[in-house]
Amino acid sequence: MLSPFEVGGKTFRNRVIMGSMHTGLEDKLEDAPKLAEFFRERAEGGVAAIVTGGYPPVLEGNLTPFGQPFNSQEIADAHRQVTEATHAGGALAILQLLHAGRYGYHPMAVSASASQSPITPFPARELSDEEVRATIKAYGEAAKYAKDAGYDGVQIMGSEGYLINQFLAERTNQRTDDWGGSAEKRMRFPIEIVKAVRAAVPEDFVIDYRISVLDLVEGGQTQEEIHELARQLQDAGVDMFSSGIGWHEAQVPTIVTSVPRGAFAWATAELREVVDVPVVIANRINTPQVAEQLLDGSFNPEGGEARTGGEPFGEFVSLARPMLADAEFVNRAAAGEAELINHCIACNQACLDHTFTNERATCLVNPRAGYETELKLLPTRTTKRVGIIGAGVAGLFGAEALAERGHHVEIFEASDKVGGQFQLAMRIPGKEEFVEALKNVQARLAKREVPIHLGSPRTPEELLEAGFDEVVVASGVTPRIPEFPGLAEALRGEVDGVSAMTYAELLSREKEAGKNVAVIGAGGIGYDVTEFLVEDRGGQPQSIREWNEQWGVTTDPEARANLTRPNPPQPLRKVTMLQRKITRMGRGLGKTTGWVHRAAVAMAGVEQIVGVTYEKLDSEGLHITVPAQDIKELQKALSKAKKAKDTEELARLETAIREERKELVIPVDTVVLCTGQESVRPDQADGTSEGVEQKVHIVGGADVAAELDAKRAIRQAVELAARL
């Protein structure tokens, strides 16, 4: 991983490339200084090269209406500070050229053929032959501007379902002219783009083509077509190939935390067999150990012991989100301190979810990412003793930030373990990464000599009396218990044949669920708990083979887009999910991950009931009432009335939902409560004692017990540390 490599006349100081991420700092020229500082920290952190977020060669190729095409001297001049910052840190700078095609979130969207993607509200019109040729020319001109801006190369985005991918796939290319009608003609567009770029730049200007090694959508390319394309692109002038996995509209997850590490490296390895230029492995590589094994050929897709005598899967690894989590990833690995790396948990909550809602990308475990010029942890001029109550993630990451600034910090935790809600989350199938995040932050705190006192409940007043100058209350949350007849008795184990428990009692294994379970509450915790109930793997991640089987991914080279029939495991229990709201379940889940959770629950045959009122719990089961009318018709009627702002119709529907109901009994042996949380605060945490209020600071769940939000909790704690 740490050895240098030559590509296209450029020396990469090691084999780690920071992959392209659209941070939201690309869209305005005035944000160039922020982007430069973001890159500077990653370059100084040791990566060999940095690939920018995507820049379109033409206006129509924008991802958003406010994007900035790379097609003028003005933008080239603005980017010199970006490339200079990258070079000052010792890394190469590569500009990604990306035409969104039908993924453009604006009315100017264009594509190979007229169509509309399922992830944008704007239909795309078909490019004319003249426009196709003009777009090809624009790629060459954009590459010239990139060279002028000081970039060492460009990455041509040919994957993830963007415009070039749209030309390559039957799914989106129904043309019958020179740009479609056969696989050979569909390949012409990217080949001509590479030729145009190669002709526009010097020989030592690197052309990296991000090729879709797996489309994972119906009507996508076969492996044979992908490999033939790669051979022709190499002949046209490509210096290296970066791997792209799946379209954004694919119904197969590709980067969420439940995807096994290195899950798609096999496809890159197969590409490597048919080309003579370096290839870059990507997706779900978040530790130096995995990176090293992929590069030296010892990676074992089945897990367990590393294999021996294997061929390398590629010449480089591309890490994107791990570089958001820790700019020092490579430096720490080089120093033999991999255990200190701020571990990317692949949650998408602050990076991709932000990108797809036009917010600036950052990182759940590193809120400074993307905010390097605004959220600074400067050395303190006045060293203070700071006591932190609670060793959940808000307390742990807040303590680290305070210690980094030079304060003397101690953590006091009432229970016998650290992690708070992370301790529960890491038990969910597919969230095993949370274990590493907790281990690594503890290692960093140990290096900074921050003591963690377990089994040590404290109040703010006690800590102030003990000589602490400031107190941070990060004591977290406790599950909220609803009220309806029989529930309290079931929680105490006093109902024959039926038990009740909170999600915390279930996940901590304080209580065990039976075979027929009702999950009350369908937010993020409800979905997590349901997945735990139907597929409890005892904390062991799936192997790549098991994951492929569940989601219908095949290595068969003849299968179009490498898709086959999904074969999920048999559920361990019969589960029914219930929610009070009449809206569709899972609406509040993450933008880029929610669909994965909904799909996993559906695969397990989980029954879902909305519009529920809980009447009682007894030995017969859970008694509920639901609207008497058809739920789907009610949902449609409500949506229509809301859009029309028909208050009279809305009132009528709400009355019907409330008054016209039918009774149901769900014969369960277990009820699990996922009904929200309440803040946990020690005595005097609100500053009621005289002289306490100015020195006590409440963060995380102790401050706001909304749906569990580690992103907000960690940011709040780090922001406090920056100003304390």
Side-chain angles (χ1 to χ4, degrees), residues 583-597:
T583 53
R584 182 172 62 93
M585 280 192 181
R587 288 184 64 182
L589 299 179
K591 179 78 172 177
T592 61
T593 57
W595 71 269
V596 181
H597 296 297

Side-chain angles (χ1 to χ4, degrees), residues 184-485:
E184 182 181 5
K185 288 185 177 180
R186 289 194 298 273
M187 293 179 194
R188 187 181 172 202
F189 183 59
I191 292 168
E192 293 300 321
I193 286 173
V194 171
K195 287 180 179 177
V197 171
R198 185 78 279 169
V201 295
E203 285 187 13
D204 66 348
F205 189 80
V206 175
I207 299 179
D208 174 21
Y209 184 92
R210 185 155 158 177
I211 188 168
S212 181
V213 293
L214 293 172
D215 276 355
L216 301 179
V217 289
E218 297 293 337
Q221 302 168 93
T222 65
Q223 286 292 296
E224 182 181 347
E225 291 168 348
I226 291 165
H227 293 168
E228 177 57 30
L229 171 66
R231 285 187 282 263
Q232 294 196 41
L233 289 171
Q234 177 180 294
D235 292 343
V238 166
D239 294 304
M240 62 192 295
F241 286 100
S242 287
S243 302
I245 311 292
W247 291 35
H248 287 312
E249 63 201 74
Q251 294 302 297
V252 175
T254 56
I255 57 174
V256 301
T257 190
S258 58
V259 177
R261 295 175 184 172
F264 307 106
W266 62 269
T268 305
E270 292 191 1
L271 172 69
R272 185 175 182 266
E273 294 296 315
V274 300
V275 296
D276 300 318
V277 297
V279 299
V280 184
I281 319 157
N283 283 50
R284 292 297 286 120
I285 306 167
N286 62 350
T287 70
Q289 294 87 345
V290 172
E292 186 72 18
Q293 289 176 357
L294 288 167
L295 293 169
D296 69 16
S298 63
F299 180 74
N300 183 355
E302 288 303 310
E305 294 295 320
R307 63 180 186 172
T308 57
E311 283 291 312
F313 288 73
E315 282 67 43
F316 292 91
V317 290
S318 173
L319 281 66
R321 294 170 301 168
M323 294 302 168
L324 284 174
D326 196 338
E328 292 286 323
F329 184 101
V330 177
N331 284 349
R332 282 176 162 158
E337 297 180 328
E339 75 280 0
L340 300 182
I341 290 172
N342 196 10
H343 188 75
C344 170
I345 58 175
C347 66
N348 289 1
Q349 290 180 34
C351 50
L352 281 171
D353 282 1
H354 280 210
T355 298
F356 280 93
T357 52
N358 292 325
E359 298 175 74
R360 194 192 310 185
T362 181
C363 178
L364 182 145
V365 297
N366 178 21
R368 288 195 63 250
Y371 289 82
E372 287 76 14
T373 63
E374 296 143 281
L375 182 50
K376 297 182 178 181
L377 297 176
L378 301 175
T380 182
R381 288 179 288 183
T382 305
T383 301
K384 294 185 174 184
R385 286 189 70 202
V386 184
I388 296 181
I389 298 173
V393 291
L396 295 172
F397 283 90
E400 180 185 12
L402 285 162
E404 183 177 334
R405 293 196 59 211
H407 292 298
H408 297 308
V409 188
E410 294 186 45
I411 302 173
F412 299 86
E413 168 59 41
S415 74
D416 61 355
K417 56 173 66 92
V418 304
Q421 298 294 312
F422 257 43
Q423 277 285 345
L424 304 177
M426 69 190 193
R427 303 172 196 273
I428 305 300
K431 290 192 174 182
E432 294 84 7
E433 295 286 5
F434 287 47
V435 176
E436 298 298 323
L438 277 183
K439 285 168 54 179
N440 291 14
V441 70
Q442 289 179 80
R444 295 194 300 276
L445 288 170
K447 185 173 183 180
R448 293 188 180 276
E449 299 182 339
V450 175
I452 302 174
H453 307 284
L454 299 178
S456 302
R458 293 290 189 276
T459 67
E461 204 163 63
E462 287 172 339
L463 292 182
L464 292 171
E465 288 175 355
F468 286 91
D469 301 301
E470 308 279 349
V471 175
V472 179
V473 177
S475 43
V477 298
T478 190
R480 179 185 293 119
I481 309 296
E483 294 183 6
F484 57 85

Side-chain angles (χ1 to χ4, degrees), residues 481-482 486-494 499-502 505 511 673:
I481 309 296
L487 178 59
E489 292 81 357
L491 285 166
R492 295 193 299 265
E494 298 172 358
S499 65
M501 62 195 69
T502 66
E505 290 173 323
K511 293 183 178 180
L673 303 175

Side-chain angles (χ1 to χ4, degrees), residues 19-41:
S20 174
M21 293 176 282
H22 198 81
T23 65
L25 297 173
E26 297 83 5
D27 299 334
K28 297 177 183 177
L29 291 182
E30 55 263 37
D31 283 336
K34 296 177 182 178
L35 189 64
E37 193 58 33
F38 172 69
F39 284 172
R40 182 193 303 277
E41 285 202 10

Side-chain angles (χ1 to χ4, degrees), residues 517-582:
V517 186
V519 174
I520 297 180
I525 300 172
Y527 272 87
D528 278 353
V529 162
T530 299
E531 291 182 61
F532 176 85
L533 289 166
V534 299
E535 193 185 354
D536 179 4
R537 295 198 296 266
Q540 295 300 312
Q542 277 181 306
S543 70
I544 294 173
R545 177 187 55 77
E546 291 169 335
W547 186 89
N548 283 344
E549 187 174 354
Q550 176 175 351
W551 289 95
V553 177
T554 177
T555 59
D556 181 356
E558 296 184 5
R560 184 159 292 280
N562 291 90
L563 293 177
T564 188
R565 185 182 181 87
N567 184 24
Q570 287 294 312
L572 298 177
R573 299 175 176 90
K574 174 177 171 52
V575 180
T576 304
M577 292 180 73
L578 306 107
Q579 75 173 20
R580 291 183 182 274
K581 294 179 181 178
I582 199 167

